[in-house]
Amino acid sequence: MFAGLAEEQLVGIDRRMTSLSWAEGDALHVEGTPAEHLYLVATGRAKAYRTAPNGQEVVVELLGPGDLFGGLRTLGQEAYAETVEALTTVCALRIGDDAFRQILGEHPEVGLRVLEDTTALLAQARSDVTRQSTATVAERLAAVLLRLAEKFGEPAREGGTLIELPLSRADLAGMTGSTPESVSRVMSRWRKDGVIDAGRRWTAVREPRRLAEIAAAEA
Amino acid sequence: MFAGLAEEQLVGIDRRMTSLSWAEGDALHVEGTPAEHLYLVATGRAKAYRTAPNGQEVVVELLGPGDLFGGLRTLGQEAYAETVEALTTVCALRIGDDAFRQILGEHPEVGLRVLEDTTALLAQARSDVTRQSTATVAERLAAVLLRLAEKFGEPAREGGTLIELPLSRADLAGMTGSTPESVSRVMSRWRKDGVIDAGRRWTAVREPRRLAEIAAAEA
DNA sequence: CGAAATCTTGACATGAGTCAAACAGCGTGG
DNA sequence: CCACGCTGTTTGACTCATGTCAAGATTTCG
């Protein structure tokens, strides 16, 4: 995010940010609360979700180091639109309205970077809308797992990619716009077929290509 | 978008943009083409849609005067993610990569404005994801009609709000992630109940409150 | 080791997609 | 100016994916 800035500039920026940390399960900020801070994840994982009128939680983003989230009155956000909850221990930097504007004034490149990030998120969200509207649960789940593997995965010793995240069936249901039961069914089938493997706090993709085929609705 | 700038600054900006126009049905830019321009709608209406793997068109945004769209390599967009098609005769200003950066350099406020817009679109898209995942077709359609009335509606002489847009059942299906048949069924019912009224090239919301109740899933 | 939470699996209900046929606007050409 | 045909809409009958409810298995943690 701040790549390409000199050491002393970074120190200047750092002084204006507050470093905070949360434990697994804590909420970093809550949907509907007045939006006053931007956050930059330093370490750990978190999920951002919205609560639908019917009470279901829909996960709109998974956050890791380097990700920006939160909201500012300045940017037309009256209140936080999502609740962000720590999935592991999380450290993040918090920045206020005025400090953000200052930094943007001093370092225009940073503004462009933020715009770039936001644009990418928009593209992501729209692709989610499209998939949600046209794909089946299995296709959506395959796409989600591939994305997770891409962003959070590490090579597993048994082969394939390991996603070490404490995601419950309910979380996965929230990401696919489905239910824990449906997710469980689909994953059981895949496990039987050897496409994936999963425990309580992790998931492994054994055959990415099969998953990709499923996600592309070629089956 | 450029509110608050002096006359001569506007002239300077204007010189770097190309003014273009399209007829109803024309594509302003096509999904998958290299992204090289940003556009600002001057007059007319257009729809932005993505084509799902199964061939269905999902409308992700309706554009009117003042709306920004398109994409730039600079912002991390390799290719346009959507096709934008004119719903009426459309005039828009086109701006290239370098010019955009120049303007941002000269007028930082504009950058903030763009970021603000993008943030709003992101919030919109995420709210769409949430609704898509949890609401029924009727609820989604009600929400879409209310949004259209809000953005494009004008008071109708018969009472209620008139949306003068050439939207086919297929377009509405694209916006609700559904099918023309389902949309037709729901709208027939509402017409019978006097909640809305519709012809080929227009739709009128007669009882916004009933629609709002439906959208909020209170029925 | 036991209770609480989570996951799995089954049986069932239903919203909404698909296919198909009848219908209505609307422009075109005789 | 009217009839024809094209295109989009409406309505019906049927099917299927997926949500719901419920019971049993498994894991976690106090």
Side-chain angles (χ1 to χ4, degrees):
Chain A
M1 177 111 270
F2 301 110
L5 294 184
E7 183 66 22
E8 42 180 51
Q9 294 181 306
L10 289 178
V11 172
I13 290 177
D14 192 56
R15 229 201 329 263
R16 301 204 200 93
M17 311 214 280
T18 316
S19 179
L20 296 167
S21 82
W22 295 264
E24 181 176 338
D26 286 357
L28 312 217
H29 64 61
V30 179
E31 207 171 346
T33 325
E36 329 192 280
H37 296 285
L38 239 37
Y39 296 80
L40 187 61
V41 179
T43 64
R45 311 268 122 107
K47 63 175 174 178
Y49 61 84
R50 295 185 173 213
T51 308
N54 70 25
Q56 208 187 334
E57 290 177 2
V58 179
V59 178
V60 292
E61 192 183 3
L62 275 184
L63 300 155
D67 288 330
L68 199 64
F69 67 95
L72 288 180
R73 211 76 55 73
T74 318
L75 294 176
Q77 305 258 306
E78 278 309 308
Y80 296 118
E82 292 105 23
T83 299
V84 174
E85 186 182 315
L87 287 173
T88 66
T89 301
V90 166
C91 293
L93 298 170
R94 193 170 77 179
I95 186 172
D97 206 327
D98 32 346
F100 179 66
R101 302 185 73 116
Q102 275 177 31
I103 294 179
L104 248 53
E106 293 167 24
H107 312 288
E109 328 79 272
V110 175
L112 254 185
R113 206 73 57 83
V114 173
L115 182 55
E116 197 175 313
D117 270 27
T118 310
T119 305
L121 288 179
L122 177 59
Q124 174 66 61
R126 285 185 169 175
S127 123
D128 284 348
V129 173
T130 306
R131 191 174 303 114
Q132 208 65 251
S133 307
T134 58
T136 65
V137 170
E139 287 155 18
R140 292 180 324 225
L141 185 57
V144 164
L145 288 181
L146 286 173
R147 212 164 74 213
L148 291 181
E150 168 95 15
K151 181 163 183 181
F152 298 109
E154 299 187 16
R157 53 187 63 194
E158 300 90 345
T161 311
L162 181 67
I163 305 169
E164 221 163 328
L165 273 180
L167 291 174
S168 65
R169 296 298 115 124
D171 287 329
L172 286 170
M175 291 184 238
T176 51
S178 176
T179 60
E181 291 95 325
S182 291
V183 171
S184 180
R185 276 182 241 278
V186 173
M187 290 187 68
S188 297
R189 199 170 67 232
W190 287 345
R191 213 171 343 180
K192 224 165 269 161
D193 296 351
V195 181
I196 65 166
D197 205 351
R200 286 259 161 161
R201 295 176 71 86
W202 57 274
T203 309
V205 179
R206 299 272 179 246
E207 302 191 30
R209 300 175 59 179
R210 290 266 292 280
L211 261 197
E213 280 173 19
I214 295 169
E218 288 174 15
Chain B
M1 176 111 270
F2 301 111
L5 294 185
E7 184 66 23
E8 44 180 51
Q9 293 181 307
L10 289 177
V11 172
I13 290 177
D14 191 56
R15 229 201 330 264
R16 302 203 199 94
M17 312 213 279
T18 316
S19 178
L20 297 167
S21 81
W22 295 263
E24 182 176 338
D26 286 356
L28 312 217
H29 64 63
V30 178
E31 207 171 346
T33 327
E36 329 193 277
H37 297 285
L38 240 36
Y39 297 80
L40 187 61
V41 179
T43 64
R45 312 267 121 107
K47 62 174 175 179
Y49 62 85
R50 294 184 175 216
T51 307
N54 70 25
Q56 208 187 335
E57 292 177 0
V58 178
V59 178
V60 293
E61 192 183 3
L62 275 185
L63 300 156
D67 288 330
L68 199 64
F69 67 96
L72 288 179
R73 212 75 57 73
T74 318
L75 294 176
Q77 305 258 304
E78 278 309 307
Y80 295 117
E82 293 105 23
T83 298
V84 175
E85 186 182 316
L87 287 172
T88 66
T89 301
V90 166
C91 293
L93 299 170
R94 193 170 76 179
I95 185 172
D97 206 327
D98 32 347
F100 178 67
R101 301 184 74 114
Q102 275 176 30
I103 293 178
L104 248 51
E106 293 167 24
H107 311 287
E109 328 80 271
V110 176
L112 254 185
R113 205 74 56 84
V114 173
L115 183 55
E116 197 174 315
D117 270 25
T118 310
T119 305
L121 287 179
L122 177 60
Q124 173 68 60
R126 286 185 167 174
S127 123
D128 283 349
V129 173
T130 306
R131 192 174 301 114
Q132 209 64 251
S133 307
T134 58
T136 65
V137 169
E139 287 156 18
R140 294 185 317 232
L141 185 57
V144 163
L145 288 181
L146 286 173
R147 212 164 75 213
L148 291 180
E150 169 95 13
K151 181 164 183 180
F152 297 111
E154 299 187 17
R157 54 187 63 195
E158 300 90 345
T161 310
L162 181 68
I163 306 168
E164 223 161 328
L165 273 180
L167 291 175
S168 65
R169 295 299 115 125
D171 287 329
L172 286 171
M175 291 184 239
T176 51
S178 174
T179 60
E181 291 96 325
S182 291
V183 171
S184 179
R185 278 181 238 277
V186 172
M187 290 187 68
S188 297
R189 200 170 65 231
W190 286 345
R191 214 173 338 183
K192 225 165 267 161
D193 295 352
V195 181
I196 65 166
D197 205 350
R200 286 261 161 162
R201 297 177 71 85
W202 57 273
T203 309
V205 178
R206 298 273 179 245
E207 302 191 29
R209 299 175 60 178
R210 290 266 292 281
L211 262 197
E213 280 173 19
I214 295 169
E218 290 174 12

